[in-house]
Amino acid sequence: MGRQRKRVVTGEADPPPTRKDEKPATLQRKEKKKKLDIGKIFINISIGLCIFSLIWFFYALYMRSSLAKRVVTLHHSPPVLDVNSTSAEVSPERFWGSYRPQVYFGMKTRSPRSVVTGMMWMRQFSEVDVNLRHTCEQGDRLQGYGWLMHDGLSFGVQEIHDSDFTLTTEFVKRMGGEHGGDWTWRITAKQHSSAPHAPVISLMFYAAADTQGYLEAHVEERNRLGSITGFSEELGNFKITFRKPVAGESSSAKYASYNYLQTMSPGLERLTDIVRNSLNRRFVYSHPSGEKRQYIAVDTYKPQHQPKSADPRKESDFVLHQVTVQTPFQIEVLFESGSFRDRPNQLSAAAMTEELEKRKAAFDAKFEKTFGLQAKGLGQAQVKFSKAALSNMLGGMGYFYGQSVVQSVYNEYPLLYPEGALFTAVPSRSFFPRGFLWDEGFHQLLLSKWDPQVTREATAHWLDLVNMEGWIPREQILGDEARSKVPAEFVVQRNENANPPTLFLALQKLVEQLQANPDAESSRPTLPFLRRLYPRLQTWFEWYNTTQTGPLPNSYRWRGRDKDTNLFLNPKTLTSGLDDYPRASHPSAEERHVDLHCWMALASGTMASVARLLGEPHQEYERTHQTLSDNALLDELHWSDQLRSFSDYGNHTQAVSLQQEKVYVPPGQPRHQFPVARLVRSVRRAPKPQFVNALGYISLFPFLLHVLTPDSPKLEHIFRDMRDADKLWTPYGLRSLSRADPLYMKRNTEHDAPYWRGPIWININYLAVRALHHYGNTEGPYQEKAATLYQELRTNIMNNVYRQYAETGYIWEQYNDSTGSGQGSHPFTGWSALTVLIMAEQY
């Protein structure tokens, strides 16, 4: 059997037979590799996209977080004011003051956690159960109250007219020591001649700490609080002494009953409640010449619900002295600083009277030198009124400290703004006892004439509140005391919302004063002030110039209009300051607002002036000012040939009205189970892009802010509309909306009375008188007409505001265009006090 022999192949063997549909192995390997490469590419792309998405996600989170923080990040430049600029060490003469405008009478220091002092009162044995007065309230229905003299620095005299008696509150400060010196109050009570009996009054003087320092009561003769001693970081040691009442200048003692209260306060906004809840009728007033009668007095304070304080550190000392005495009488309260060691005598009795008379004489002399009303031939009564108007604005200066509540589109919930201080005038001590941005520029037009330092400090405080974006919250609600007076819906400030930049009006005046008299002592600090202010001023201007722009180049639009087109007859524009003045009926991004255009013309011109003064680049501001002041551009954007007036532009229809909505009630169902029918807006004709036919204050802005050239033919139309009694003219001033307008004196909702739809407002009338004075003293074809209108309008305004003050005891927020009667909040010695400048012809 043989073995199988191996086949030996010589040369190449034939390849094995292949199927027609098979690919060569090389190609298979290439295709396989290609598929692997494509897969890797897809995987790499996916990984890259995931990484990019994660990076973008975290970047978006970071940016949103960063943008969300911008609204509460203050401007990066050094503050205009040093941290201790309002301290007793740096500014002792302004340290103490009547910086609590929301109370009838009180004082505090310009420091964040000041010890506060104040006065309450009530009439005993009256028909009203408890008529406690403390914070300024229109509901108290006082016959009048306000400062008659106040220099903003060292003294003040105020009269408060209650039902059948008058309280005169006076204070005088005396410098000395290291903590702002001493001060003395004198309160004089006199019955009205019409009162059948001499009323018995309880005055309550108090001191309250605000989270720091302490107070100690020193009781004499059973219930009589003789004095309070205390200590705080800003004041050091101090003593408050309560003198016994005397019968006026005779200094003879008066019978009085005494009570006191010593407790802890959870906050300054609770002081009135604490006193009210501590009152008791168990005390007996035993006048030697009359019968014994039970009277109401402070006893012990027990919180009604025993609330547990969330922050026990807010509990602060509160001490009150009550004296019950029959009119007439006079009482003095002395504050003495522990560091004032070389005082010549106590500032009381004859020494107080002598010092007070010196201050009054100095005030009268300075007032006449500043405003020259007697030289103009005005009577004593009108001069006295003018002094009261100025004094009420000075006495209405407040010092506030706290945090605004703000929100941007990047915040889901409101945030607390950084803590800050604000030294500012307030529009109304009763209704608006806090800072308002657009009011403050008007306030400082008057105050800059009296004391430029007040204007510099107030403006600096406002600009020190600007954030990194350039936004300033338009309404400053700082501290619990201020917040307690504000409805919840107005507390949150939104950073897209502006307010007219009227502080540029005040800055314009400071620049003019400096240029006119650079060596004057009052003007010398202005240049370094402007230098420190300038970086913030730049950012503030740029914020307006970028966030409030309109749809066309060089046009502007107010943000923040009400978006509810169902309830409002015309959605309000609170941000413009002229709340319910008619704008485009249907808010949109296509609107152009003529008043904002003119404000920006003013602001850019002032920025150019300040930049030139400081040697900074001014060309860009000058170009902006020239562009916005171009009358041809203004005509193109805002002149309506059909209406022959300057107008807003937007999506508008005039065919709107408020009508009772229809509520369906099924048959047999009781009506009271269904919603009450409301007034809602009915639109009878669809809106379209057009000029807004609302003749009034808005139509006048190119004239009011001197944007029109003296030879502009548009002045002829403006003067004709102003002087037409069927449109804007009244014997009391210019009405806010033409009487021929469909929305004249129309309610905006069933609960929202007309506000800027007819009544006369003094701030705009001041601008009108100022503009007429400008055009009446500038050569042009309408110079004579402007001069004539100036004399008529000036006379009408000053006569009516004075007459209403004489009749009612108040300067008012607005005036009725049919009767001239004062209406709205009162006293309103914010911009209504500009009547003083109208009388003085100082513009």
Side-chain angles (χ1 to χ4, degrees), residues 281-323:
R281 294 178 176 276
R282 69 182 181 86
F283 303 98
V284 177
Y285 181 77
S286 305
H287 195 282
S289 61
E291 61 178 318
K292 294 182 178 181
R293 304 174 72 180
Q294 285 190 317
Y295 72 98
I296 304 169
V298 292
D299 197 354
T300 55
Y301 171 64
K302 294 178 181 178
Q304 290 178 315
H305 304 295
Q306 297 292 338
K308 290 184 179 179
S309 176
D311 182 4
R313 292 173 299 172
K314 288 192 73 176
E315 294 282 331
S316 305
D317 289 337
F318 176 43
V319 183
L320 180 142
H321 165 66
Q322 176 176 338
V323 53

Side-chain angles (χ1 to χ4, degrees), residues 152-187:
L153 205 61
S154 65
F155 93 108
V157 179
Q158 178 182 221
E159 280 189 0
I160 303 169
H161 301 281
D162 211 326
S163 55
D164 54 358
F165 62 91
T166 294
L167 296 176
T168 303
T169 67
E170 300 166 309
F171 78 88
V172 171
K173 292 159 53 180
R174 180 160 66 181
M175 291 298 97
E178 301 154 11
H179 300 91
D182 297 347
W183 51 256
T184 295
W185 293 353
R186 176 180 287 170
I187 290 80

Side-chain angles (χ1 to χ4, degrees), residues 165-226:
F165 62 91
T166 294
L167 296 176
T168 303
T169 67
E170 300 166 309
F171 78 88
V172 171
K173 292 159 53 180
R174 180 160 66 181
M175 291 298 97
E178 301 154 11
H179 300 91
D182 297 347
W183 51 256
T184 295
W185 293 353
R186 176 180 287 170
I187 290 80
T188 305
K190 293 181 180 178
Q191 72 185 85
H192 294 167
S193 57
S194 58
H197 307 289
V200 176
I201 306 167
S202 287
L203 297 185
M204 302 172 181
F205 304 102
Y206 67 82
D210 188 9
T211 72
Q212 60 112 348
Y214 68 85
L215 302 170
E216 187 176 340
H218 299 273
V219 181
E220 307 169 358
E221 306 168 20
R222 291 174 52 199
N223 284 334
R224 193 179 90 79
L225 186 67

Side-chain angles (χ1 to χ4, degrees), residues 315-473:
E315 294 282 331
S316 305
D317 289 337
F318 176 43
V319 183
L320 180 142
H321 165 66
Q322 176 176 338
V323 53
T324 302
V325 61
Q326 190 172 37
T327 58
F329 64 86
Q330 191 175 90
I331 295 178
E332 291 181 347
V333 178
L334 284 64
F335 174 92
E336 294 174 313
S337 170
S339 64
F340 193 169
R341 298 181 182 87
D342 56 349
R343 67 175 57 84
N345 52 20
Q346 281 196 318
L347 188 59
S348 66
M352 162 73 170
T353 301
E354 182 183 350
E355 204 60 40
L356 192 58
E357 292 307 315
K358 282 182 189 175
R359 308 294 170 89
K360 288 180 180 179
F363 175 84
D364 287 339
K366 181 178 178 180
F367 188 88
E368 180 59 23
K369 182 181 178 182
T370 304
F371 300 109
L373 298 189
Q374 289 178 334
K376 286 185 173 295
L378 293 174
Q380 284 299 321
Q382 288 177 306
V383 172
K384 186 178 178 182
F385 153 77
S386 300
K387 290 176 181 176
L390 170 69
S391 297
N392 271 301
M393 187 179 283
L394 287 164
M397 294 292 293
Y399 184 87
F400 306 95
Y401 188 86
Q403 294 175 277
S404 291
V405 183
V406 301
Q407 191 169 10
S408 77
V409 293
Y410 303 105
N411 306 122
E412 188 177 355
Y413 301 104
L415 303 175
L416 285 175
Y417 209 65
E419 283 191 321
L422 181 63
F423 179 55
T424 184
V426 303
S428 170
R429 290 170 63 190
S430 61
F431 210 73
F432 302 111
R434 54 192 177 277
F436 287 80
L437 182 55
W438 98 290
D439 293 66
E440 191 61 11
F442 288 109
H443 298 161
Q444 296 308 324
L445 285 174
L446 176 58
L447 295 182
S448 63
K449 298 285 187 182
W450 178 256
D451 187 350
Q453 181 60 20
V454 169
T455 299
R456 286 189 288 265
E457 290 197 24
T459 305
H461 273 93
W462 275 99
L463 267 295
D464 273 344
L465 293 171
V466 71
N467 73 2
M468 66 182 295
E469 300 169 316
W471 174 68
I472 302 174

Side-chain angles (χ1 to χ4, degrees), residues 7 60 71 96 176 188 229 234 284 300 362 467 495 501 509 534 570 663 693 733 739-740 771 814:
R7 186 178 176 188
V71 70
W96 274 106
T188 305
T229 56
E234 295 91 354
V284 177
T300 55
N467 73 2
N495 75 329
K509 286 299 154 200
Y534 190 65
N570 187 276
V663 178
N693 52 334
R739 196 158 64 175
Q814 52 177 228

